[in-house]
Amino acid sequence: MDTLMDLGGGFASALEPVSLAFVLLGVLLGTVVGVLPGIGPISAIAILIPVSFGMEPVHGLILLCGIYYGSMYGGSITATLIKTPGEVASAVTAIEGYEMARRGRGKAALATAAIGSFLAGTLAIIGLTFLSPVLVKLANVFGATEYFLLMATALLLASTMSAGSRAKALISIFIGLAVGLIGLDFQTGLPRQTFGMSLLSDGIDFTIFAMALFAIPEAIRNLALGRGAKDEIQSFGNDKWMTKQDWQRSAGPWARGSVVGFIIGILPGVGPSLASFMSYIMEKRISKRKDEFGHGAIEGVAGPEAANNAGVGGAMIPLFSLGIPGSATTALLLFVFTMYGLQPGPLIFRDDTGLIWTIIASMYIGNIALIILNLPLVGVFVKLLKMPKEILFSSILVLVVIGAYAIEFSLFGLMMLGIFGVIGYLMEKGGIPLAPAILALVLVPLLEDNFRRMLQISGGSFAPLVTRPISLSIIVLMVLGIIGPIIFRWWVSRRKLLADVAVS
């Protein structure tokens, strides 16, 4: 009852004209930030921190939080329409969303993304409101060993993200791992795979890598086709809204993505990016239409988009309740809290009740504003696809180049964009899937950091892998996940063989 009363007071403050204006401005800026490749919520929040100095703390935090969850949906727009992820968590959406757009289903892809984002975001905020204490205790059970195994499991499952050869998927994973290891060792400070180039000391920016692998090969391929490109993608622009079957196929992924995203979001240091990849992998594994994945399966858009938005709400739980950032973006928000003289944690709900509940209430309002803002604009976004393909894909290249340059304002970033763009093009030509490389790059720092922490805590021993109940359970599930399908296929083939013998 106290929670509902506090939330009611938060809504009273959040619905004041000034607060409401900052909510709307935040989600609008977030959508724009998500659309523009290379910027993302971290850069946008960092740029606007000086602007928020002169604001009331509640208004500044409402604005920056709005940018965070607004960018989650904005990133799906360019990922779907032009295969250019505007934000890290939207990279996986480009796999199925773009294929849907190619088949004349861009409106349906954007609609399921918008609705899934709204439903998952709202459910995550409800969880943030009522389940914070329980879920924070659950998250604290996870140590370095469990995090390491969780990342390893995700990497193991990455080979199932794309249709085709598992060997080629493993090649893609190793490419992502190799790129992720470029830069200075975060513990010793020694350079790794920099080839003596100081410019590589900071590693390869994820956004440049993702844009290079997804956008550049697609643009090159279509521009190389010239006028013939119109025949290949003639269904662009002939869009229809979601059908009854689309709603039925999206409902399950929305629900599952919301749960997966929320749970992964509350794990400190993980955030929404991994949630969207895990949701995609799960949807593909349980789908009865596995052959559609990679060719425009709506489940591959609905689940990940729900997961990355639910992950935002989940990431707020350790921030608000423990003062621990759940992602890189919430680490910036933690700085903003301290800048205002506030300390997130259990005491903030006692000492600054009005502020924290106003922020939570503003997130409910912001989710409603997002769907009101974006659903009517779906048709406008899809009209981009009616542009002549030579102009469209040339514009994509220009947009990607500008985005890559804007990350560090360096020509070196453009060189990396070109190099990895060529690598991505050759990977596509060789039938090597791109998505596993992207996931591997995301997981490298988390995997390495937790592996080293596990060894440091245990004195160099691997014993925690089997002596901790949760880690042992994860290992058992990993083994079952590997040998289970093999045993099942052997059993099915054996049954079929015995049936054939019996008939003959």
Side-chain angles (χ1 to χ4, degrees):
M1 186 60 71
D2 290 341
T3 299
L4 293 175
M5 290 179 64
D6 290 334
L7 184 61
F11 271 108
S13 299
L15 289 171
E16 291 178 357
V18 178
S19 298
L20 193 58
F22 280 111
V23 172
L24 298 177
L25 179 61
V27 297
L28 178 61
L29 287 175
T31 302
V32 173
V33 162
V35 168
L36 296 175
I39 298 181
I42 298 177
S43 300
I45 290 173
I47 292 169
L48 289 175
I49 283 176
V51 178
S52 64
F53 280 160
M55 296 181 185
E56 290 290 325
V58 66
H59 296 153
L61 289 165
I62 284 174
L63 173 67
L64 298 180
C65 288
I67 290 172
Y68 184 20
Y69 55 82
S71 66
M72 292 296 109
Y73 173 70
S76 68
I77 297 173
T78 47
T80 298
L81 299 182
I82 56 177
K83 205 177 184 181
T84 306
E87 203 278 326
V88 176
S90 300
V92 71
T93 305
I95 302 171
E96 304 299 333
Y98 182 72
E99 290 300 321
M100 287 184 67
R102 284 170 58 85
R103 296 178 172 219
R105 313 228 47 228
K107 282 184 180 179
L110 290 177
T112 193
I115 296 168
S117 298
F118 167 72
L119 294 174
T122 302
L123 290 173
I125 300 166
I126 292 173
L128 172 64
T129 305
F130 296 101
L131 301 178
S132 295
V134 177
L135 291 175
V136 165
K137 289 179 181 177
L138 179 64
N140 287 337
V141 174
F142 274 65
T145 306
E146 287 77 17
Y147 278 120
F148 165 68
L149 288 173
L150 185 65
M151 303 305 125
T153 303
L155 204 56
L156 183 66
L157 293 174
S159 61
T160 67
M161 290 181 67
S162 305
S165 169
R166 291 289 178 89
K168 290 183 177 180
L170 288 174
I171 293 173
S172 180
I173 290 172
F174 284 121
I175 290 173
L177 290 174
V179 173
L181 291 174
I182 295 174
L184 297 180
D185 186 300
F186 63 89
Q187 284 193 348
T188 65
L190 296 175
R192 298 185 302 191
Q193 300 182 176
T194 60
F195 308 101
M197 300 173 63
S198 59
L199 290 170
L200 284 173
S201 298
D202 292 332
I204 303 299
D205 186 273
F206 174 86
T207 308
I208 290 179
F209 188 71
M211 289 192 298
L213 257 63
F214 279 135
I216 298 291
E218 190 65 24
I220 291 175
R221 186 168 63 84
N222 281 282
L223 289 173
L225 290 172
R227 294 286 178 181
K230 292 186 176 180
D231 298 328
E232 184 187 355
I233 50 181
Q234 59 186 349
S235 59
F236 266 28
N238 302 323
D239 290 272
K240 295 180 181 179
W241 284 90
M242 290 179 67
T243 62
K244 181 180 178 181
Q245 185 185 37
D246 290 334
W247 283 89
Q248 292 172 342
R249 291 179 60 177
S250 296
W254 285 338
R256 289 187 291 269
S258 299
V259 174
V260 169
F262 187 60
I263 293 174
I264 292 180
I266 66 172
L267 300 176
V270 180
S273 304
L274 180 60
S276 60
F277 280 100
M278 292 298 287
S279 174
Y280 181 85
I281 292 169
M282 180 177 68
E283 293 303 326
K284 183 176 180 182
R285 289 184 72 86
I286 66 176
S287 176
K288 296 179 181 178
R289 301 179 175 89
K290 288 184 174 61
D291 57 320
E292 290 188 26
F293 278 77
H295 305 285
I298 195 168
E299 294 91 342
V301 178
E305 281 302 306
N308 67 42
N309 279 270
V312 172
M316 293 293 186
I317 289 180
L319 175 66
F320 288 170
S321 301
L322 294 176
I324 300 173
S327 65
T329 308
T330 51
L332 264 184
L333 291 176
L334 176 61
F335 168 76
V336 177
F337 270 95
T338 57
M339 181 186 75
Y340 285 124
L342 304 168
Q343 182 57 53
L347 296 181
I348 200 171
F349 284 90
R350 186 194 69 186
D351 300 336
D352 296 283
T353 302
L355 178 139
I356 202 70
W357 286 107
T358 300
I359 294 172
I360 293 174
S362 75
M363 295 174 71
Y364 284 98
I365 299 169
N367 267 293
I368 297 172
L370 266 175
I371 197 165
I372 293 174
L373 173 68
N374 286 299
L375 268 186
L377 293 177
V378 164
V380 177
F381 293 141
V382 172
K383 286 182 180 178
L384 291 172
L385 302 176
K386 295 183 179 180
M387 294 172 59
K389 299 305 171 284
E390 295 84 355
I391 297 176
L392 175 63
F393 287 103
S394 297
S395 301
I396 291 171
L397 287 177
V398 172
L399 186 66
V400 167
V401 168
I402 293 173
Y405 182 74
I407 292 172
E408 295 179 349
F409 296 100
S410 168
L411 292 177
F412 184 73
L414 298 183
M415 290 174 55
M416 292 296 100
L417 182 74
I419 291 171
F420 288 114
V422 172
I423 291 174
Y425 181 75
L426 294 176
M427 287 172 67
E428 275 204 336
K429 280 290 187 180
I432 298 174
L434 304 177
I438 298 291
L439 178 59
L441 183 62
V442 171
L443 293 180
V444 164
L446 298 170
L447 190 73
E448 183 181 11
D449 180 40
N450 286 291
F451 178 69
R452 287 186 168 185
R453 286 200 296 123
M454 178 190 75
L455 293 179
Q456 287 172 347
I457 294 169
S458 64
S461 171
F462 289 91
L465 292 173
V466 294
T467 56
R468 294 172 64 93
I470 296 179
S471 61
L472 182 60
S473 301
I474 295 174
I475 290 175
V476 171
L477 291 174
M478 287 174 64
V479 172
L480 290 175
I482 294 172
I483 67 173
I486 298 173
I487 294 174
F488 179 74
R489 284 194 293 268
W490 172 81
W491 180 75
V492 170
S493 61
R494 186 171 181 274
R495 288 285 300 270
K496 184 178 180 181
L497 179 63
L498 291 175
D500 292 340
V501 171
V503 170
S504 60

